[in-house]
Amino acid sequence: MKSKFKACLKALILPAFIGSFAIATPAHAQFGKFKDLVDSSVGNNSGLMSRKELKAGYSEITSNFVYTSQNMLRAHSITLEALGKKEEAAKYSQYADSMTLGDCKSTCVKNTIIVSQEANSEAQSALETSETLSEESKSILASAVDPYLQGTLSAVKLPKQYSSWVNNAKDTMQGAKSNPLAIRKLISIGQQIPQAVEVTTELPGLINQWQKTTRNFNRVATQAGIDTKEIDASLDEEF
């Protein structure tokens, strides 16, 4: 069955593509042109995105997710350390550091959501039960301002970025249905859609949790004489 499909594919599609650039050029150059035509064949159809554009877009949104999660995990870790939760602080700090290793951007997104929820819950609990801070604790807590700020600023952009990519990917897959060669080139994109949909679904709740904890951090930090005005402004952003 597979061989028949390949034969049919070659008979119907390859001549049309190859004929468009069958000139006296080296074989590898012809292959490169052929590959470019395949990669862009869907993207040129009614404004749909190409495979290359979708791959670049997916890399960008996952990088943004990793960046945001790292900042929030580090902020929670510092908060926990300042409030005497050394063991928990070390655990989330180590996880945040590990996100830059290996292939985490494509493999650990789901687990990161779970860890982020746990870290957020522990930081929230510690902030709600915090007492008067020592000068050392105040100094540690002050270093959480920047990661909370950076995390909050980037977090509010994630839902739109993810939903936009998911919609573009689905539209492109739909547009490629009549092109067997193009749909084969989009298999990897199709495999990424479920994870992106899952992140899109989880993000609003996660961001709400992050914002609630960040507001609690601002309350405790302000009482300790720490300036949190920039974080306050960032929390007014809608997502």
Side-chain angles (χ1 to χ4, degrees):
M1 184 73 180
K2 198 170 183 181
S3 60
K4 287 183 179 179
F5 173 77
K6 287 184 177 180
C8 181
L9 195 63
K10 289 180 180 179
L12 294 176
I13 298 174
L14 293 184
F17 274 98
I18 295 173
S20 65
F21 54 86
I23 56 177
T25 56
H28 69 272
Q30 290 190 21
F31 177 78
K33 291 180 180 180
F34 175 69
K35 185 175 181 298
D36 289 341
L37 281 172
V38 172
D39 288 346
S40 62
S41 60
V42 177
N44 291 334
N45 180 18
S46 303
L48 298 176
M49 294 185 74
S50 69
R51 182 179 69 97
K52 287 182 179 179
E53 290 171 326
L54 287 170
K55 285 183 68 176
Y58 190 79
S59 178
E60 181 179 357
I61 61 174
T62 50
S63 293
N64 292 344
F65 176 81
V66 168
Y67 174 79
T68 302
S69 301
Q70 279 183 313
N71 273 295
M72 296 308 295
L73 283 168
R74 284 172 178 150
H76 293 338
S77 173
I78 294 168
T79 298
L80 288 165
E81 181 183 358
L83 300 179
K85 306 289 186 180
K86 308 291 186 182
E87 187 176 333
E88 293 86 344
K91 178 174 69 173
Y92 297 121
S93 177
Q94 289 171 5
Y95 187 89
D97 291 341
S98 75
M99 293 176 71
T100 58
L101 304 174
D103 195 27
C104 182
K105 289 182 181 179
S106 64
T107 60
C108 74
V109 171
K110 185 174 182 178
N111 192 51
T112 295
I113 292 175
I114 296 171
V115 174
S116 295
Q117 291 169 335
E118 292 174 354
N120 190 82
S121 178
E122 294 204 40
Q124 175 80 335
S125 177
L127 287 163
E128 288 176 346
T129 58
S130 64
E131 300 177 353
T132 303
L133 302 178
S134 66
E135 290 304 310
E136 181 183 3
S137 293
K138 289 178 183 178
S139 178
I140 295 172
L141 195 68
S143 64
V145 169
D146 186 63
Y148 269 123
L149 176 60
Q150 300 307 320
T152 301
L153 287 172
S154 56
V156 294
K157 301 174 184 177
L158 288 175
K160 288 182 180 178
Q161 291 173 346
Y162 265 87
S163 61
S164 176
W165 185 89
V166 168
N167 289 335
N168 285 328
K170 287 182 176 179
D171 288 346
T172 297
M173 295 293 288
Q174 183 68 28
K177 278 187 175 181
S178 60
N179 186 337
L181 191 57
I183 201 70
R184 286 180 63 195
K185 299 292 289 186
L186 290 168
I187 288 175
S188 62
I189 300 298
Q191 292 170 339
Q192 291 168 336
I193 292 176
Q195 178 172 273
V197 169
E198 182 176 359
V199 176
T200 304
T201 303
E202 294 283 352
L203 275 174
L206 182 59
I207 293 173
N208 277 325
Q209 292 174 31
W210 279 340
Q211 290 185 335
K212 182 179 179 181
T213 302
T214 303
R215 287 191 174 90
N216 240 339
F217 166 82
N218 285 359
R219 175 184 59 79
V220 173
T222 300
Q223 291 173 354
I226 299 169
D227 185 1
T228 64
K229 291 187 181 66
E230 285 188 276
I231 302 179
D232 286 331
S234 70
L235 289 170
D236 292 333
E237 297 283 337
E238 294 185 358
F239 61 88

PDB file of all heavy atoms in Angstrom, residues 152-153 156 210-212 214-216 218 230-238:
ATOM      1  N   THR A 152       5.854  38.659  35.436  1.00  0.00           N
ATOM      2  CA  THR A 152       4.507  39.219  35.283  1.00  0.00           C
ATOM      3  C   THR A 152       4.337  39.900  33.932  1.00  0.00           C
ATOM      4  O   THR A 152       3.302  39.750  33.264  1.00  0.00           O
ATOM      5  CB  THR A 152       4.222  40.234  36.413  1.00  0.00           C
ATOM      6  OG1 THR A 152       4.339  39.581  37.675  1.00  0.00           O
ATOM      7  CG2 THR A 152       2.819  40.810  36.284  1.00  0.00           C
ATOM      8  N   LEU A 153       5.354  40.651  33.518  1.00  0.00           N
ATOM      9  CA  LEU A 153       5.283  41.353  32.232  1.00  0.00           C
ATOM     10  C   LEU A 153       5.170  40.385  31.052  1.00  0.00           C
ATOM     11  O   LEU A 153       4.428  40.642  30.094  1.00  0.00           O
ATOM     12  CB  LEU A 153       6.519  42.236  32.051  1.00  0.00           C
ATOM     13  CG  LEU A 153       6.583  43.508  32.897  1.00  0.00           C
ATOM     14  CD1 LEU A 153       7.948  44.169  32.759  1.00  0.00           C
ATOM     15  CD2 LEU A 153       5.478  44.492  32.500  1.00  0.00           C
ATOM     16  N   VAL A 156       1.508  37.909  30.846  1.00  0.00           N
ATOM     17  CA  VAL A 156       0.246  38.403  30.289  1.00  0.00           C
ATOM     18  C   VAL A 156       0.209  38.311  28.764  1.00  0.00           C
ATOM     19  O   VAL A 156      -0.864  38.372  28.153  1.00  0.00           O
ATOM     20  CB  VAL A 156      -0.032  39.863  30.729  1.00  0.00           C
ATOM     21  CG1 VAL A 156      -0.256  39.930  32.218  1.00  0.00           C
ATOM     22  CG2 VAL A 156       1.101  40.797  30.317  1.00  0.00           C
ATOM     23  N   TRP A 210      -0.432  33.163  39.595  1.00  0.00           N
ATOM     24  CA  TRP A 210       0.797  33.957  39.668  1.00  0.00           C
ATOM     25  C   TRP A 210       0.499  35.380  40.136  1.00  0.00           C
ATOM     26  O   TRP A 210       1.199  35.919  41.003  1.00  0.00           O
ATOM     27  CB  TRP A 210       1.461  34.016  38.298  1.00  0.00           C
ATOM     28  CG  TRP A 210       2.276  32.806  37.945  1.00  0.00           C
ATOM     29  CD1 TRP A 210       2.794  31.876  38.802  1.00  0.00           C
ATOM     30  CD2 TRP A 210       2.667  32.395  36.631  1.00  0.00           C
ATOM     31  NE1 TRP A 210       3.487  30.911  38.105  1.00  0.00           N
ATOM     32  CE2 TRP A 210       3.430  31.203  36.765  1.00  0.00           C
ATOM     33  CE3 TRP A 210       2.458  32.906  35.356  1.00  0.00           C
ATOM     34  CZ2 TRP A 210       3.978  30.532  35.676  1.00  0.00           C
ATOM     35  CZ3 TRP A 210       2.999  32.226  34.267  1.00  0.00           C
ATOM     36  CH2 TRP A 210       3.755  31.067  34.431  1.00  0.00           C
ATOM     37  N   GLN A 211      -0.541  35.979  39.579  1.00  0.00           N
ATOM     38  CA  GLN A 211      -0.863  37.364  39.921  1.00  0.00           C
ATOM     39  C   GLN A 211      -1.318  37.501  41.372  1.00  0.00           C
ATOM     40  O   GLN A 211      -0.966  38.464  42.059  1.00  0.00           O
ATOM     41  CB  GLN A 211      -1.924  37.908  38.966  1.00  0.00           C
ATOM     42  CG  GLN A 211      -1.403  38.115  37.543  1.00  0.00           C
ATOM     43  CD  GLN A 211      -2.419  38.756  36.626  1.00  0.00           C
ATOM     44  OE1 GLN A 211      -3.627  38.658  36.849  1.00  0.00           O
ATOM     45  NE2 GLN A 211      -1.956  39.406  35.575  1.00  0.00           N
ATOM     46  N   LYS A 212      -2.091  36.533  41.841  1.00  0.00           N
ATOM     47  CA  LYS A 212      -2.543  36.569  43.238  1.00  0.00           C
ATOM     48  C   LYS A 212      -1.359  36.499  44.193  1.00  0.00           C
ATOM     49  O   LYS A 212      -1.270  37.259  45.168  1.00  0.00           O
ATOM     50  CB  LYS A 212      -3.504  35.405  43.509  1.00  0.00           C
ATOM     51  CG  LYS A 212      -4.061  35.393  44.926  1.00  0.00           C
ATOM     52  CD  LYS A 212      -5.031  34.232  45.121  1.00  0.00           C
ATOM     53  CE  LYS A 212      -5.582  34.214  46.554  1.00  0.00           C
ATOM     54  NZ  LYS A 212      -6.507  33.063  46.758  1.00  0.00           N
ATOM     55  N   THR A 214       1.758  37.239  43.460  1.00  0.00           N
ATOM     56  CA  THR A 214       2.581  38.438  43.278  1.00  0.00           C
ATOM     57  C   THR A 214       2.004  39.612  44.064  1.00  0.00           C
ATOM     58  O   THR A 214       2.750  40.404  44.660  1.00  0.00           O
ATOM     59  CB  THR A 214       2.698  38.798  41.783  1.00  0.00           C
ATOM     60  OG1 THR A 214       3.238  37.679  41.071  1.00  0.00           O
ATOM     61  CG2 THR A 214       3.609  39.991  41.579  1.00  0.00           C
ATOM     62  N   ARG A 215       0.684  39.738  44.095  1.00  0.00           N
ATOM     63  CA  ARG A 215       0.061  40.803  44.893  1.00  0.00           C
ATOM     64  C   ARG A 215       0.334  40.588  46.377  1.00  0.00           C
ATOM     65  O   ARG A 215       0.556  41.550  47.135  1.00  0.00           O
ATOM     66  CB  ARG A 215      -1.445  40.853  44.625  1.00  0.00           C
ATOM     67  CG  ARG A 215      -1.808  41.421  43.262  1.00  0.00           C
ATOM     68  CD  ARG A 215      -3.301  41.705  43.137  1.00  0.00           C
ATOM     69  NE  ARG A 215      -3.599  42.375  41.870  1.00  0.00           N
ATOM     70  CZ  ARG A 215      -3.904  41.766  40.740  1.00  0.00           C
ATOM     71  NH1 ARG A 215      -3.975  40.429  40.725  1.00  0.00           N
ATOM     72  NH2 ARG A 215      -4.136  42.440  39.637  1.00  0.00           N
ATOM     73  N   ASN A 216       0.308  39.347  46.811  1.00  0.00           N
ATOM     74  CA  ASN A 216       0.631  39.044  48.203  1.00  0.00           C
ATOM     75  C   ASN A 216       2.087  39.376  48.499  1.00  0.00           C
ATOM     76  O   ASN A 216       2.421  39.862  49.587  1.00  0.00           O
ATOM     77  CB  ASN A 216       0.361  37.567  48.491  1.00  0.00           C
ATOM     78  CG  ASN A 216      -0.667  37.372  49.595  1.00  0.00           C
ATOM     79  OD1 ASN A 216      -0.904  38.254  50.409  1.00  0.00           O
ATOM     80  ND2 ASN A 216      -1.278  36.207  49.628  1.00  0.00           N
ATOM     81  N   ASN A 218       3.808  41.690  46.985  1.00  0.00           N
ATOM     82  CA  ASN A 218       3.877  43.148  47.047  1.00  0.00           C
ATOM     83  C   ASN A 218       3.457  43.667  48.421  1.00  0.00           C
ATOM     84  O   ASN A 218       4.061  44.602  48.961  1.00  0.00           O
ATOM     85  CB  ASN A 218       2.987  43.771  45.969  1.00  0.00           C
ATOM     86  CG  ASN A 218       3.602  43.665  44.587  1.00  0.00           C
ATOM     87  OD1 ASN A 218       4.698  43.139  44.423  1.00  0.00           O
ATOM     88  ND2 ASN A 218       2.889  44.144  43.583  1.00  0.00           N
ATOM     89  N   GLU A 230       6.762  49.140  40.289  1.00  0.00           N
ATOM     90  CA  GLU A 230       6.791  48.618  38.912  1.00  0.00           C
ATOM     91  C   GLU A 230       5.990  47.325  38.794  1.00  0.00           C
ATOM     92  O   GLU A 230       5.311  47.097  37.785  1.00  0.00           O
ATOM     93  CB  GLU A 230       8.238  48.376  38.472  1.00  0.00           C
ATOM     94  CG  GLU A 230       9.004  49.644  38.150  1.00  0.00           C
ATOM     95  CD  GLU A 230      10.356  49.345  37.535  1.00  0.00           C
ATOM     96  OE1 GLU A 230      11.316  49.097  38.289  1.00  0.00           O
ATOM     97  OE2 GLU A 230      10.438  49.338  36.286  1.00  0.00           O
ATOM     98  N   ILE A 231       6.059  46.487  39.807  1.00  0.00           N
ATOM     99  CA  ILE A 231       5.274  45.249  39.778  1.00  0.00           C
ATOM    100  C   ILE A 231       3.788  45.582  39.835  1.00  0.00           C
ATOM    101  O   ILE A 231       2.981  44.975  39.120  1.00  0.00           O
ATOM    102  CB  ILE A 231       5.646  44.314  40.947  1.00  0.00           C
ATOM    103  CG1 ILE A 231       7.126  43.967  40.923  1.00  0.00           C
ATOM    104  CG2 ILE A 231       4.817  43.032  40.883  1.00  0.00           C
ATOM    105  CD1 ILE A 231       7.576  43.075  42.066  1.00  0.00           C
ATOM    106  N   ASP A 232       3.425  46.543  40.681  1.00  0.00           N
ATOM    107  CA  ASP A 232       2.018  46.954  40.784  1.00  0.00           C
ATOM    108  C   ASP A 232       1.482  47.368  39.418  1.00  0.00           C
ATOM    109  O   ASP A 232       0.370  46.984  39.026  1.00  0.00           O
ATOM    110  CB  ASP A 232       1.878  48.128  41.769  1.00  0.00           C
ATOM    111  CG  ASP A 232       2.032  47.679  43.213  1.00  0.00           C
ATOM    112  OD1 ASP A 232       1.701  46.531  43.511  1.00  0.00           O
ATOM    113  OD2 ASP A 232       2.494  48.506  44.026  1.00  0.00           O
ATOM    114  N   ALA A 233       2.270  48.144  38.688  1.00  0.00           N
ATOM    115  CA  ALA A 233       1.845  48.618  37.357  1.00  0.00           C
ATOM    116  C   ALA A 233       1.696  47.447  36.392  1.00  0.00           C
ATOM    117  O   ALA A 233       0.764  47.412  35.582  1.00  0.00           O
ATOM    118  CB  ALA A 233       2.844  49.627  36.836  1.00  0.00           C
ATOM    119  N   SER A 234       2.603  46.477  36.481  1.00  0.00           N
ATOM    120  CA  SER A 234       2.554  45.349  35.546  1.00  0.00           C
ATOM    121  C   SER A 234       1.332  44.463  35.801  1.00  0.00           C
ATOM    122  O   SER A 234       0.837  43.803  34.876  1.00  0.00           O
ATOM    123  CB  SER A 234       3.828  44.491  35.666  1.00  0.00           C
ATOM    124  OG  SER A 234       3.860  43.787  36.897  1.00  0.00           O
ATOM    125  N   LEU A 235       0.837  44.456  37.024  1.00  0.00           N
ATOM    126  CA  LEU A 235      -0.330  43.631  37.345  1.00  0.00           C
ATOM    127  C   LEU A 235      -1.628  44.179  36.780  1.00  0.00           C
ATOM    128  O   LEU A 235      -2.651  43.498  36.774  1.00  0.00           O
ATOM    129  CB  LEU A 235      -0.455  43.489  38.875  1.00  0.00           C
ATOM    130  CG  LEU A 235       0.604  42.606  39.540  1.00  0.00           C
ATOM    131  CD1 LEU A 235       0.548  42.738  41.054  1.00  0.00           C
ATOM    132  CD2 LEU A 235       0.420  41.155  39.143  1.00  0.00           C
ATOM    133  N   ASP A 236      -1.580  45.425  36.289  1.00  0.00           N
ATOM    134  CA  ASP A 236      -2.771  46.021  35.685  1.00  0.00           C
ATOM    135  C   ASP A 236      -2.947  45.587  34.235  1.00  0.00           C
ATOM    136  O   ASP A 236      -3.995  45.823  33.630  1.00  0.00           O
ATOM    137  CB  ASP A 236      -2.686  47.562  35.742  1.00  0.00           C
ATOM    138  CG  ASP A 236      -2.792  48.073  37.169  1.00  0.00           C
ATOM    139  OD1 ASP A 236      -3.415  47.379  37.995  1.00  0.00           O
ATOM    140  OD2 ASP A 236      -2.229  49.155  37.459  1.00  0.00           O
ATOM    141  N   GLU A 237      -1.926  44.940  33.659  1.00  0.00           N
ATOM    142  CA  GLU A 237      -2.009  44.480  32.286  1.00  0.00           C
ATOM    143  C   GLU A 237      -3.008  43.337  32.163  1.00  0.00           C
ATOM    144  O   GLU A 237      -3.060  42.450  33.002  1.00  0.00           O
ATOM    145  CB  GLU A 237      -0.628  43.989  31.809  1.00  0.00           C
ATOM    146  CG  GLU A 237       0.437  45.057  31.775  1.00  0.00           C
ATOM    147  CD  GLU A 237       0.299  45.993  30.583  1.00  0.00           C
ATOM    148  OE1 GLU A 237      -0.329  45.569  29.584  1.00  0.00           O
ATOM    149  OE2 GLU A 237       0.799  47.125  30.659  1.00  0.00           O
ATOM    150  N   GLU A 238      -3.816  43.373  31.103  1.00  0.00           N
ATOM    151  CA  GLU A 238      -4.790  42.304  30.880  1.00  0.00           C
ATOM    152  C   GLU A 238      -4.213  41.243  29.950  1.00  0.00           C
ATOM    153  O   GLU A 238      -3.359  41.526  29.114  1.00  0.00           O
ATOM    154  CB  GLU A 238      -6.074  42.883  30.268  1.00  0.00           C
ATOM    155  CG  GLU A 238      -6.826  43.821  31.210  1.00  0.00           C
ATOM    156  CD  GLU A 238      -8.152  44.270  30.619  1.00  0.00           C
ATOM    157  OE1 GLU A 238      -8.447  43.871  29.462  1.00  0.00           O
ATOM    158  OE2 GLU A 238      -8.875  45.007  31.285  1.00  0.00           O
TER     159      GLU A 238
END
